[in-house]
Amino acid sequence: MTLTAQETAPTTTDGREVLLEVQDLKVEFNIRGGVIKAVDGLTFDIKRGQTVGIIGESGCGKSVTARAILRMVPKPGRITGGRILYYRRPRHPKPGQPQDLQVIDLTTVDPDGELIRQIRGGEIAMIFQEPMSSLTPVYTAGTHINEAVSLHRLLPLKKLGDQMAETIMAYRHVTREEAREIAVQMLRRVGIPKPEQRVDSYPHQLSGGQRQRVMIAIALSTEPSMLIADEPTTALDVSIEAQILDIMRELQRTANMAIMFITHNLGVIASMAEEIVVMYMGKQVERAKVVDLFYNPKHPYTKALLQSVPRLGPKTGQRLASIEGMVPDPLNLPTGCVFHPRCPAFMPGKCDKIVPRWNQVGENHWARCLLYEE
Ligand code: SF4
């Protein structure tokens, strides 16, 4: 494990501190038929308080990326290259303890060790797509939240003294009664009706939407520095979806929480994210600020994705645009540009032979396409 202390994390021109830096990440699944490159050379970063959206079709590597950050890639998958740097600040420093920034390369951390258990769920929380498989059937909603809160959340004990306007605080674990109170508050915040009663409900006694909201309450109850939300509102109706997105925005504002938002819902991502990473077959094909990506997309795959978004008021009988062709077999990827068999801008003899580089196509805007190479 690489662990170093630094004075500062990398910052952007607007002075914001980087929280997580993914550098040339590679994740592979070695299966009987060959090797699947689920994530192949992904690079991006997330600043404190920022939302970065990851979009792309199913199987493009979005969820595997999230699991790699938390060291939860299921076997036979494994990280085979790159780094995931987590710039960690102590959330509850003890009096006298140095408050240095730690830089932790998460790819080198023991996936079953104490360090990742502190980070996972407490500092970087995740909302999964499938609430039923993530909730334990014999635990109530309240028990799930209590467990997360008791493990990861501390409360101020008392003021030990004021030194030059700097207050030194000591912390203690929450009591059972406080944990239950926090659980009720969190269920209320995510819009569960009668939270004082629902806190004692088991997963099978809740509707699909309520289970998803319990998952969200668990993730947010520890006040994480970063939330990974993997299709968090897919099972919810639009009014509850709007409510959940509002809660995330509020936490982001009040707690400076970063969000990595994984979705194929481009409408949701447009309203949530500041920057967007587009993935196709494990590769990052475009990255840009949200406005640039929606109003000035460069990569033909991004353009096709945007054209396939249903719009209100199409003429009667008008067909929805869709991306031509099929997603290729991951064990038998096309040569050259992996998108070439489906690309409307395909250049024969070029796109099927040359692997495109990662080209800067504007300010904070990159695309992997031969249209932007000499
Ligand atoms: Fe299309 Fe060629 Fe660009 Fe690939 S490199 S996206 S095939 S134009």
Side-chain angles (χ1 to χ4, degrees):
M1 182 182 70
T2 313
L3 196 72
T4 52
Q6 288 188 353
E7 283 295 306
T8 55
T11 49
T12 52
T13 42
D14 58 5
R16 284 188 301 173
E17 196 178 272
V18 172
L19 177 70
L20 193 92
E21 212 174 351
V22 175
Q23 297 176 344
D24 199 23
L25 180 67
K26 294 184 170 72
V27 182
E28 293 180 357
F29 286 74
N30 211 330
I31 59 170
R32 197 174 297 164
V35 175
I36 294 177
K37 294 184 174 182
V39 179
D40 189 10
L42 182 62
T43 297
F44 67 97
D45 60 36
I46 303 183
K47 288 103 191 163
R48 291 181 192 273
Q50 184 189 37
T51 299
V52 172
I54 313 273
I55 62 171
E57 291 166 291
S58 298
C60 68
K62 308 185 295 281
S63 298
V64 176
T65 302
R67 287 176 174 273
I69 292 170
L70 291 173
R71 300 307 313 278
M72 291 168 62
V73 175
K75 287 195 166 48
R78 64 191 182 93
I79 296 172
T80 55
R83 302 198 299 174
I84 302 171
L85 300 182
Y86 171 41
Y87 295 89
R88 185 194 204 203
R89 288 201 180 279
R91 296 204 304 167
H92 306 106
K94 294 193 176 76
Q97 180 186 310
Q99 303 203 10
D100 288 350
L101 186 82
Q102 288 178 315
V103 188
I104 302 174
D105 181 358
L106 295 176
T107 64
T108 61
V109 169
D110 174 4
D112 302 313
E114 174 58 28
L115 180 59
I116 196 71
R117 282 208 298 273
Q118 285 172 16
I119 295 170
R120 189 193 291 149
E123 299 170 36
I124 305 179
M126 182 162 175
I127 306 169
F128 294 92
Q129 286 179 45
E130 286 298 328
M132 205 51 194
S133 55
S134 310
L135 294 172
T136 310
V138 294
Y139 285 172
T140 63
T143 312
H144 280 96
I145 300 174
N146 291 355
E147 197 179 20
V149 166
S150 308
L151 262 176
H152 295 295
R153 196 152 148 189
L154 300 177
L155 294 174
L157 181 62
K158 58 181 179 179
K159 285 184 182 179
L160 294 181
D162 287 328
Q163 293 179 344
M164 309 278 287
E166 194 182 14
T167 306
I168 304 170
M169 305 295 283
Y171 295 87
R172 62 174 172 81
H173 286 281
V174 294
T175 62
R176 286 167 74 97
E177 292 71 32
E178 286 166 342
R180 185 182 169 87
E181 186 47 39
I182 291 172
V184 171
Q185 280 172 18
M186 288 311 300
L187 292 180
R188 185 175 293 118
R189 279 182 92 178
V190 296
I192 299 262
K194 298 185 186 153
E196 295 82 2
Q197 293 164 24
R198 283 299 183 200
V199 74
D200 295 317
S201 297
Y202 290 91
H204 73 273
Q205 295 172 314
L206 302 167
S207 68
Q210 286 176 338
R211 285 196 288 264
Q212 186 65 324
R213 279 181 276 167
V214 168
M215 283 288 304
I216 293 165
I218 297 168
L220 300 183
S221 64
T222 61
E223 299 182 335
S225 308
M226 176 171 153
L227 177 70
I228 301 177
D230 189 357
E231 304 276 7
T233 54
T234 307
L236 307 178
D237 66 46
V238 284
S239 62
I240 300 295
E241 178 178 72
Q243 208 175 328
I244 297 293
L245 298 180
D246 277 347
I247 293 167
M248 288 188 196
R249 285 193 199 98
E250 185 205 323
L251 265 162
Q252 189 162 40
R253 214 176 31 248
T254 55
N256 207 23
M257 180 178 76
I259 303 176
M260 177 173 150
F261 204 107
I262 297 171
T263 186
H264 57 253
N265 186 332
L266 299 181
V268 167
I269 210 71
S271 71
M272 288 295 290
E274 199 178 311
E275 268 183 43
I276 296 187
V277 174
V278 186
M279 291 184 72
Y280 182 73
M281 299 310 295
K283 287 188 191 299
Q284 181 177 27
V285 295
E286 186 160 0
R287 193 171 92 215
K289 299 267 181 213
V290 66
V291 174
D292 294 332
L293 196 103
F294 275 84
Y295 290 102
N296 189 18
K298 296 293 187 189
H299 197 281
Y301 176 65
T302 312
K303 291 179 186 175
L305 267 185
L306 294 175
Q307 278 162 8
S308 61
V309 176
R311 286 182 174 75
L312 284 176
K315 291 183 195 124
T316 312
Q318 190 175 326
R319 286 173 67 98
L320 265 182
S322 62
I323 303 175
E324 290 290 321
M326 303 282 289
V327 174
D329 175 1
L331 285 174
N332 193 15
L333 288 176
T335 54
C337 169
V338 283
F339 187 55
H340 86 251
R342 308 174 75 188
C343 182
F346 171 61
M347 296 175 279
K350 205 171 164 191
C351 298
D352 48 352
K353 294 205 165 43
I354 305 168
V355 176
R357 289 195 299 264
W358 188 232
N359 303 292
Q360 182 150 16
V361 293
E363 196 190 346
N364 294 318
H365 196 161
W366 290 265
R368 192 184 298 281
C369 175
L370 294 169
L371 291 172
Y372 308 101
E373 288 181 28
E374 286 295 314

